[in-house]
Amino acid sequence: MTTTEGPVGGRGHVPWGTVLRNVALVVVVLVMIWLAFNVRLPSIAGIRADVDAAGAWGPIVFVLLYAVVATTPIPVTIMAVAGGMIFGVPLGTLLSLIGVVTGCLGGYGIARLLGESTVMRLLGSHAAVVEDRLAGGGFYAVCTLRLMPGIPYWPVNYGSGALGITARDFLVATVLASLPGQLSLVAVGAFMGSPDVPHGVVLGCSWALVIVLTVLAFRRWRGTRAQAPAEGEAAQDPGIAVGKA
């Protein structure tokens, strides 16, 4: 007795997972290209006007706008600077941090859905740097990329989701490593709005903090990368293992 089975894994099998991911890649790329070329953030004065018009909802409007911007390749600098001019250093830093972390989590979640191969193509010129830093990494890898100058937020978000950084490591590292950068940008806005000595001190200290933390995070990340192969070799060498016991 013979049975006729469907073409599972055969020539007639349609790889729907691959098809859907490629369609998702095209959609995401098109949306990001459209945003990059057609969406222009309002000026700082425009952002202030929108926030003021929202009244008591102004801080929430600011956070939501910031989160949307942080999910896309649109630079977030103007949002943090505007936060400093509108809300001052303490509240501006808090609202900017909430907005940027929310947007980063959105990008991370999208990348988990798209998958590694799709996201690596999406990252384009950033793919090599992101993969080199994040592959096999974790908390310190995300911290290093967050603090490194010249690396936008969005490739780190998408790369972390695609390369298997745990949600916990990603969230904690994003909060801690984004805080100094957001503070430094908010301080720029506050100093622009009120160029006095206190704001100048905050500005100088915040940028010094960013530099110091960048160096420390990079050294710690490099140390963990160098330690991993050494531990692997030790596990494979019985003599070394006995010597450690």
Side-chain angles (χ1 to χ4, degrees):
M1 178 177 180
T2 60
T3 58
T4 302
E5 296 182 357
V8 177
R11 293 181 180 179
H13 178 65
V14 178
W16 288 111
T18 301
V19 171
L20 291 175
R21 288 190 176 185
N22 285 330
V23 170
L25 171 64
V26 172
V27 172
V28 172
V29 169
L30 290 177
V31 170
M32 288 190 172
I33 291 175
W34 186 87
L35 288 171
F37 286 96
N38 294 279
V39 175
R40 294 291 182 268
L41 285 176
S43 63
I44 293 178
I47 296 174
R48 182 194 291 273
D50 292 339
V51 170
D52 290 342
W57 295 95
I60 296 177
V61 170
F62 176 80
V63 168
L64 292 177
L65 179 58
Y66 204 142
V68 171
V69 171
T71 307
T72 71
I74 301 173
V76 301
T77 303
I78 189 174
M79 294 300 303
V81 172
M85 294 189 69
I86 298 170
F87 301 106
V89 174
L91 182 57
T93 301
L94 176 62
L95 296 177
S96 295
L97 184 63
I98 295 173
V100 79
V101 170
T102 302
C104 288
L105 287 173
Y108 176 88
I110 292 173
R112 294 294 291 265
L113 294 175
L114 293 178
E116 181 178 347
S117 61
T118 302
V119 171
M120 287 300 106
R121 282 180 284 173
L122 175 64
L123 294 183
S125 61
H126 297 288
V129 175
V130 170
E131 186 171 14
D132 177 65
R133 298 291 192 276
L134 291 178
F139 175 83
Y140 289 105
V142 177
C143 282
T144 301
L145 283 178
R146 286 278 182 238
L147 291 165
M148 283 180 65
I151 303 295
Y153 277 92
W154 73 273
V156 183
N157 304 335
Y158 286 85
S160 297
L163 295 172
I165 302 295
T166 65
R168 178 181 178 277
D169 282 347
F170 177 78
L171 176 59
V172 176
T174 296
V175 171
L176 295 180
S178 297
L179 178 57
Q182 293 301 298
L183 173 60
S184 64
L185 293 173
V186 169
V188 170
F191 184 78
M192 289 171 60
S194 180
D196 52 25
V197 174
H199 284 124
V201 172
V202 173
L203 178 61
C205 291
S206 63
W207 280 99
L209 179 63
V210 169
I211 294 172
V212 171
L213 291 178
T214 300
V215 174
L216 292 177
F218 178 76
R219 287 181 176 178
R220 186 70 178 93
W221 166 80
R222 189 172 58 181
T224 56
R225 288 288 291 265
Q227 184 179 2
E231 291 179 349
E233 293 175 2
Q236 296 176 0
D237 191 330
I240 297 178
V242 172
K244 285 185 175 181

